[in-house]
Amino acid sequence: MKGFFLIFCFILPFFAYSVEPSKAFVQLAKKVRPGVVNISTTKAGVNNMVQVFPGYFMPFTSPEVTASGSGFIVDKEGLIITNAHVVKNFDKIQVQFIGDDKHYPAKVLGADSLSDIALLKVNVKKRLKPIVLGDSSKLEVGEWVAAIGNPHGYGHTMTKGIISAVKREIDDLNLFPLLQTDASVNPGNSGGPLVNLKGEVVGVNQAIVRGAVGINFAIPINNVKEVFKDLKSFGFVRRGFIGVNFQGDGQKGVIVSNIVFGSPAQKAGLKIKDRIISFAGKRINKARDLPKAVRQAKVGQKVNLKVVRGGKVLTLNIVPQMLEEDKFSSIPEGSKKRRNRKITGDNILGQFQLLEPNTSNLRAFGHPGWAKHPIVVNLKTNSQAFRKGLREGDMLYQINGKMVSSASLAKKLLKKRHSYKLNLLRYDSYSDRYHILSIKVSF
């Protein structure tokens, strides 16, 4: 009898595991699907001038753009988490609940392009069923999960799979290491929840690998929680910046190539050609390590920065300031205002115009606000400057080696017909860096 009991205790876990999925996923669907929403978005057509043949332009209005995605309810007040790319730059956003054909308007409270997370608010009289947020740090490879969303417009579809890998470093996709799963995910699943068998959200479905089967990625919910707090309180994520451009050279650390005037880096005593090897106690091995470390630092708090200078290791104290890039550029209403207003500036010999780098203009063109040089607008596509590589939104910061701080100064320097070397700054929101470009033009 004792031997039988031991055998029974030994095989019971395997028996329970073998029958668990057939029942567990049925119960899981009943528990979680009411908290998932379909998201539909619309972007109005934009008025443009199209070149029919050289020197002749005709007005053209682009067609309305529609798209779809997914999201999930996180509280009874109607807060919904989704991906930023699902709602960013759309004019009209609507959500649909399971078993309800009506589409309800939703407002974007905040969107963060770096983490690809957005927070929506919907006001409805019906009783909402939030989904519990879990702990992604406890996930193990092989653990059962389910993805729920709106793939190809088929709302509230549920698929199952396992956690294939954790802490996937994919810089092209996201600021954080991602979860990998083989649960079937398709276009339209973006922003929907990845849940464990307890019905807890462990990730936000974000990306698929086109052409590959069973390789999909989700943002860990623990990282989402951090972003959620700031989006709810401020409408944007408070991140630090220190104001340096840098590059890797195949060795450990990164080399400082430029320092923004008046930035935390300059105030800390950082110098060009310094090799940064540590920031806030985190080792800097590759170029991607520094932006991540800086963004995770607390704004306004002093941290240690270790550099190699002249063969010696120095420790500097630096206080990151707040980077307001997403406060400026990611909320859809901003793009609508930009499209509806007429943008004019100082004309540069018939090829483009320049705007003064005030707060309003920086915000309109997605600049973070810590580099301030005249902004290129109304660039003619048949111009020499365009053919040479100039683009709307670029900053013009040097003319023949002379620093340019205003549109009026640039106009004075460029008012005569001559050949010029223009140095430009083009902002990359992912790396929080300005890329330096140089073009030569003749007016």
Side-chain angles (χ1 to χ4, degrees):
M1 186 69 179
K2 182 178 180 180
F4 175 80
F5 177 75
L6 291 174
I7 293 173
F8 181 79
C9 291
F10 179 75
I11 67 173
L12 182 60
F14 292 95
F15 177 77
Y17 183 81
S18 65
V19 299
E20 186 179 50
S22 63
K23 294 182 178 180
F25 284 103
V26 172
Q27 296 302 317
L28 185 62
K30 293 178 180 179
K31 182 178 182 180
V32 177
R33 289 173 76 216
V36 180
V37 299
N38 302 334
I39 298 176
S40 58
T41 54
T42 305
K43 183 178 182 180
V46 180
N47 295 324
N48 294 308
M49 295 297 289
V50 178
Q51 182 173 268
V52 180
F53 51 82
Y56 184 73
F57 293 80
M58 289 186 64
F60 170 77
T61 302
S62 61
E64 183 179 82
V65 176
T66 60
S68 63
S70 308
F72 55 96
I73 305 165
V74 292
D75 74 2
K76 294 180 179 180
E77 301 302 316
L79 294 183
I80 296 170
I81 288 176
T82 185
N83 283 146
H85 76 259
V86 170
V87 298
K88 187 175 179 181
N89 296 329
F90 284 93
D91 305 311
K92 185 179 181 181
I93 301 167
Q94 296 180 310
V95 301
Q96 186 179 18
F97 302 96
I98 191 169
D100 189 344
D101 293 333
K102 186 176 179 179
H103 290 78
Y104 298 89
K107 177 183 178 181
V108 179
L109 296 185
D112 178 54
S113 59
L114 293 177
S115 64
D116 197 19
I117 294 297
L119 184 63
L120 310 183
K121 179 74 164 64
V122 61
N123 294 312
V124 293
K125 294 181 179 179
K126 63 166 54 190
R127 184 179 179 183
L128 301 179
K129 297 183 179 181
I131 307 179
V132 176
L133 304 185
D135 184 354
S136 54
S137 68
K138 296 181 179 179
L139 284 174
E140 296 183 307
V141 174
E143 186 173 338
W144 282 108
V145 288
I148 306 171
N150 187 28
H152 297 292
Y154 293 98
H156 297 89
T157 295
M158 178 175 175
T159 57
K160 68 178 177 66
I162 62 169
I163 294 293
S164 306
V166 296
K167 297 183 179 180
R168 286 291 193 204
E169 292 277 359
I170 307 176
D171 287 342
D172 291 340
L173 289 180
N174 202 267
L175 176 65
F176 312 114
L178 301 174
L179 304 174
Q180 182 181 331
T181 177
D182 67 348
S184 180
V185 174
N186 289 282
N189 272 111
S190 290
L194 185 72
V195 299
N196 59 19
L197 290 182
K198 296 178 182 178
E200 301 169 336
V201 182
V202 293
V204 178
N205 297 313
Q206 182 195 27
I208 62 177
V209 177
R210 294 192 181 278
V213 178
I215 302 179
N216 307 302
F217 298 100
I219 306 166
I221 198 62
N222 286 13
N223 297 123
V224 176
K225 290 176 184 177
E226 297 172 4
V227 173
F228 171 80
K229 292 178 182 178
D230 274 1
L231 291 181
K232 183 179 180 180
S233 299
F234 308 106
F236 63 98
V237 178
R238 297 176 300 174
R239 290 196 179 90
F241 88 94
I242 59 174
V244 296
N245 279 358
F246 56 89
Q247 59 189 27
D249 61 355
Q251 300 180 40
K252 288 187 177 180
V254 296
I255 306 297
V256 176
S257 58
N258 188 42
I259 299 174
V260 176
F261 179 77
S263 68
Q266 185 193 45
K267 294 176 182 178
L270 202 65
K271 296 183 178 181
I272 292 175
K273 296 186 179 179
D274 280 351
R275 180 185 295 274
I276 301 176
I277 59 174
S278 174
F279 184 89
K282 298 178 180 179
R283 293 182 180 179
I284 307 301
N285 295 318
K286 301 178 182 179
R288 69 186 181 190
D289 295 338
L290 183 58
K292 289 183 179 181
V294 172
R295 290 192 185 104
Q296 292 169 7
K298 292 185 178 180
V299 174
Q301 291 191 9
K302 185 186 298 182
V303 299
N304 290 334
L305 174 69
K306 289 187 178 181
V307 302
V308 177
R309 182 186 299 167
K312 296 181 180 180
V313 177
L314 304 177
T315 300
L316 306 176
N317 293 321
I318 189 167
V319 181
Q321 294 178 5
M322 186 167 65
L323 171 66
E324 299 190 35
E325 144 213 326
D326 284 291
K327 182 179 180 181
F328 286 165
S329 64
S330 66
I331 297 179
E333 286 81 0
S335 62
K336 183 176 181 180
K337 289 178 182 178
R338 176 179 160 187
R339 286 199 304 273
N340 291 340
R341 70 170 180 155
K342 185 178 181 181
I343 298 175
T344 60
D346 288 322
N347 187 46
I348 306 300
L349 298 174
Q351 296 201 25
F352 57 91
Q353 293 179 318
L354 290 173
L355 292 180
E356 296 292 354
N358 56 43
T359 300
S360 176
N361 291 331
L362 290 169
R363 182 178 302 174
F365 287 87
H367 289 283
W370 46 268
K372 295 184 178 180
H373 303 278
I375 306 164
V376 175
V377 296
N378 294 335
L379 173 65
K380 293 186 177 180
T381 56
N382 63 342
S383 67
Q384 180 195 159
F386 181 86
R387 293 194 299 270
K388 292 285 187 176
L390 187 66
R391 293 296 180 265
E392 184 166 308
D394 286 350
M395 278 186 175
L396 176 57
Y397 87 101
Q398 279 185 339
I399 300 174
N400 289 343
K402 184 176 179 62
M403 191 71 69
V404 181
S405 58
S406 67
S408 57
L409 176 58
K411 187 176 182 181
K412 290 178 182 179
L413 295 174
L414 294 170
K415 68 179 182 178
K416 295 182 179 180
R417 294 192 175 274
H418 190 62
S419 294
Y420 297 96
K421 179 181 179 181
L422 307 182
N423 286 335
L424 314 167
L425 295 178
R426 186 170 297 167
Y427 185 62
D428 177 3
S429 63
Y430 176 77
S431 63
D432 178 28
R433 292 158 64 185
Y434 276 102
H435 297 288
I436 301 175
L437 302 91
S438 296
I439 64 172
K440 291 183 178 180
V441 294
S442 298
F443 297 105

